[in-house]
Amino acid sequence: MTHAFYVYGSYGFAALVTVAVTLWTWADGRARRKDLAALEASGIRRRSAPAKDSE
């Protein structure tokens, strides 16, 4: 039990970093989807999107 603080602290830090990266990725994904929706609403489409009206 002499190293319990170190071990539990390491697990806690790893869990904190994992949660932080997960939340950051989720938030960034939402922001990118919002940006993409704004671009598509303004008429700019992805090259991979199907063409409308034989463009």
Side-chain angles (χ1 to χ4, degrees):
M1 261 331 208
T2 59
H3 302 317
F5 178 75
Y6 172 76
V7 172
Y8 294 136
S10 297
Y11 277 124
F13 181 73
L16 180 68
V17 169
T18 301
V19 169
V21 169
T22 301
L23 290 175
W24 180 20
T25 303
W26 176 77
D28 189 55
R30 283 179 50 107
R32 296 305 73 116
R33 282 192 298 274
K34 187 183 286 187
D35 291 344
L36 183 59
L39 287 171
E40 288 178 344
S42 71
I44 299 172
R45 285 200 257 310
R46 293 174 280 177
R47 287 179 285 182
S48 63
K52 283 184 167 179
D53 300 326
S54 67
E55 289 181 13

